[in-house]
Amino acid sequence: MDMDDVPTQQRNKLPDHLERQRTRVTCKADAPTHTQGFQYSGAFAAMGVDNSVSVEKFCNSFKIKINRLTEDDMEFDMIGVDASIANAFRRILIAEVPTMAIEKVFMVDNTSVIADEVLSHRLGLIPLDADPRLFDHISDDVPNERNTIVYKLHVSCEKGSQRLTVKSGQLEWLPEGSQLLMASAAQGEKQKTYTSFGQSQKNISGRSIGVKYKDITIARLGPGQAIELEAHAVKGVGKVHAKWSPVATAWYRMLPEVVLLKEIKDGEAEELVKKCPVNVFDIEDLGNGAKRAVVARPRACTLCRECVMGPTGEQVELRRVRDHFIFTIESTGALPPEVLFTEAVKILEEKCERVISELS
Amino acid sequence: MEHGSVADSTASSFSIMEEDHTLANSVRFVLNQDPRVAFCGYSIPHPADNKVNIRVQTTGDPAKDVMVDALQDLMVMCQHARGTFDTAVADFRANKPMERMDIDLNKS
């Protein structure tokens, strides 16, 4: 095709329909279209449009806006980033940001109805209020004050008394390390415990390392039953076991964009407002009893596609902005959500660094 | 580890251990945005193996250099993201002080 055939084509600018395919995912009634996007830098080279993203371009367009930030959950908008990067952050948050969790349980006595292994598993899942950055990964299985946190649980239910519920708050932190003695060594030698702490953990943490939530039920004891155990928590990552995942969940969704392709009036407008289960649309009064539908809350859109189905569906178009992510992080409590995100980004940097050093 | 030919340095496969989609997909994105790259893609040869293979073919530059540049770019992007995020959090806190956690029933 001769370039003269396209006189409307402006230099260095994509025609509207291509620009929309590049920056939006359109959700039709049956399926979304243009989900892939254009990855290749030279995709529009023939049209004189550069599709490459240099670091400078990225830095100029990248934006973050915090919508909500509490002690253990946050939501923010991440704008100007590709899904692959946003997804890397999400994956790292779930599987690769380390936390502390109970890994070994030394069962001294368990006469409760809950089996040892089930009890241990329950203990493992209890979120600990320990900053993992203060600790090391346990390497050659030598537990010391830098890689292990020790908890003790010693509860019993007296005969003749009511049933007893054991809560996570009853786990007692042992800053001096294990109190369980190993099978005695040679005579005269000091008896060893299951940890070798060089100093009190109080010196490392500065505050007591308890559990995050004190009201988690661990077990219920009947009269005459007892549990005595010691639990050792170590540092780990979520890909080994979900108990080390620092987030309840971390997810993102693309920003919804709802467009009315033509003016929707009166009865049709009311029908459209009624159709939407999350109230995306509002009615605007034009005076003289005339009404018009407007898109008031596009962010609420869950993409149920109710509005694009049926005979009037052609009037509305649902889109998602490809490079705008609404990112939510729900922390389990070890670290606040904003710290988790920075830690996740740091981990991706470390990954790059590792490969660079291996290549050079 | 890099697999390429001695005669032609413009095409190489990189086999990276202990990595998965997290890094590979991000690097593939950055590589694709580089005008020097003619083709790039990645695969995980077996789900049980902890490794990815990243294929890079360039229009003339050594594939290894382009790969290192992409990783460096990704690192700079991360650093920028982290900086932007920290500023956004600081701004948010300054404008709307965090609601104190008196409501937390666990901390009585």
Side-chain angles (χ1 to χ4, degrees):
Chain A
M1 187 174 67
D2 199 79
M3 279 307 271
D4 295 337
D5 291 346
V6 272
T8 49
Q9 167 81 52
Q10 268 177 280
R11 221 48 195 154
N12 301 324
K13 191 174 173 291
L14 283 178
D16 287 347
H17 72 285
L18 275 182
E19 183 64 16
R20 192 153 60 236
Q21 284 179 24
R22 194 177 71 85
T23 60
R24 302 287 188 272
V25 176
T26 309
C27 301
K28 298 278 166 66
D30 52 349
T33 55
H34 312 302
T35 52
Q36 275 281 302
F38 300 96
Q39 296 253 327
Y40 177 48
S41 62
F44 310 114
M47 306 168 88
V49 177
D50 182 18
N51 192 41
S52 68
V53 176
S54 62
V55 175
E56 295 94 276
K57 256 198 219 167
F58 170 82
C59 291
N60 288 332
S61 62
F62 185 75
K63 279 188 196 71
I64 279 180
K65 194 178 150 283
I66 314 271
N67 301 328
R68 185 177 75 240
L69 175 59
T70 64
E71 188 190 5
D72 49 24
D73 120 295
M74 81 181 300
E75 187 191 275
F76 59 92
D77 283 22
M78 194 155 61
I79 308 157
V81 70
D82 186 73
S84 60
I85 312 260
N87 194 39
F89 294 153
R90 184 193 64 85
R91 285 172 63 97
I92 293 173
L93 274 170
I94 292 170
E96 291 184 65
V97 177
T99 58
M100 305 294 288
I102 290 170
E103 165 73 351
K104 269 196 181 126
V105 177
F106 296 80
M107 208 68 74
V108 178
D109 180 22
N110 177 19
T111 49
S112 74
V113 292
I114 184 163
D116 288 5
E117 65 273 23
V118 180
L119 181 60
S120 309
H121 180 246
R122 288 181 71 83
L123 288 169
L125 295 172
I126 295 171
L128 303 176
D129 192 15
D131 188 338
R133 291 170 296 182
L134 299 172
F135 296 92
D136 304 328
H137 285 277
I138 187 159
S139 46
D140 36 18
D141 230 28
V142 188
N144 61 37
E145 74 279 7
R146 285 274 167 206
N147 57 29
T148 307
I149 308 172
V150 185
Y151 294 92
K152 185 172 100 174
L153 182 65
H154 194 175
V155 281
S156 55
C157 184
E158 297 300 317
K159 277 204 173 104
S161 64
Q162 287 280 305
R163 265 204 301 267
L164 185 79
T165 306
V166 184
K167 300 280 190 179
S168 55
Q170 284 167 279
L171 281 168
E172 185 198 337
W173 175 45
L174 302 178
E176 313 297 330
S178 174
Q179 292 174 346
L180 294 179
L181 299 174
M182 274 182 161
S184 71
Q187 218 171 13
E189 211 172 277
K190 200 181 158 226
Q191 269 204 315
K192 279 187 192 157
T193 64
Y194 281 88
T195 55
S196 38
F197 278 24
Q199 54 169 328
S200 169
Q201 224 158 34
K202 282 178 184 158
N203 302 336
I204 296 170
S205 170
R207 66 187 171 91
S208 99
I209 306 173
V211 294
K212 183 69 188 178
Y213 303 101
K214 293 187 160 72
D215 58 346
I216 302 170
T217 301
I218 296 173
R220 301 197 80 194
L221 300 181
Q225 298 178 349
I227 292 175
E228 184 182 354
L229 58 84
E230 206 174 80
H232 291 199
V234 298
K235 192 172 175 175
V237 291
K239 63 179 166 189
V240 177
H241 190 292
K243 68 184 175 186
W244 278 300
S245 186
V247 291
T249 180
W251 79 91
Y252 58 75
R253 59 194 187 104
M254 284 190 274
L255 178 78
E257 189 181 65
V258 185
V259 183
L260 301 178
L261 295 178
K262 61 171 203 139
E263 198 156 90
I264 299 172
K265 284 186 169 167
D266 303 328
E268 278 188 341
E270 264 165 37
E271 211 171 280
L272 182 67
V273 170
K274 223 186 288 169
K275 252 186 187 176
C276 181
V278 288
N279 275 323
V280 165
F281 305 100
D282 257 352
I283 288 199
E284 194 180 57
D285 235 319
L286 295 173
N288 309 328
K291 289 171 192 162
R292 180 173 71 172
V294 287
V295 182
R297 288 166 292 273
R299 254 171 196 269
C301 179
T302 57
L303 228 76
C304 66
R305 289 179 285 175
E306 205 57 53
C307 55
V308 292
M309 286 192 261
T312 54
E314 300 289 289
Q315 303 164 344
V316 186
E317 192 160 84
L318 287 181
R319 299 179 196 148
R320 310 218 114 182
V321 182
R322 208 188 288 283
D323 66 347
H324 188 139
F325 297 95
I326 303 169
F327 212 105
T328 313
I329 302 172
E330 282 177 15
S331 165
T332 52
L335 291 172
E338 75 278 12
V339 178
L340 284 178
F341 185 79
T342 11
E343 290 296 308
V345 180
K346 272 187 211 161
I347 288 171
L348 187 55
E349 282 167 41
E350 280 160 25
K351 280 173 181 288
C352 295
E353 216 174 308
R354 202 203 97 196
V355 179
I356 291 174
S357 66
E358 262 175 45
L359 283 177
S360 46
Chain B
M1 204 200 333
E2 186 187 356
H3 299 282
S5 76
V6 188
D8 181 14
S9 63
T10 66
S12 276
S13 291
F14 300 89
S15 185
I16 306 171
M17 300 300 294
E18 312 293 322
E19 290 298 348
D20 56 6
H21 299 280
T22 306
L23 183 74
N25 198 18
S26 313
V27 172
R28 188 196 58 162
F29 163 71
V30 180
L31 280 166
N32 260 326
Q33 301 293 0
D34 191 329
R36 291 175 295 174
V37 174
F39 170 84
C40 98
Y42 79 94
S43 80
I44 293 182
H46 192 281
D49 294 349
N50 217 348
K51 85 176 198 188
V52 284
N53 294 335
I54 304 178
R55 177 73 180 168
V56 184
Q57 288 168 210
T58 70
T59 51
D61 298 73
K64 189 174 157 186
D65 295 357
V66 175
M67 178 75 173
V68 171
D69 282 353
L71 287 160
Q72 250 145 12
D73 281 358
L74 182 58
M75 231 160 95
V76 175
M77 283 158 86
C78 283
Q79 279 157 2
H80 179 77
R82 195 147 54 91
T84 315
F85 181 81
D86 288 342
T87 331
V89 169
D91 284 355
F92 183 83
R93 287 237 169 90
N95 295 331
K96 191 156 42 170
M98 208 166 157
E99 286 145 41
R100 275 289 107 199
M101 304 109 190
D102 303 336
I103 8 143
D104 195 348
L105 296 173
N106 288 309
K107 293 203 174 151
S108 52

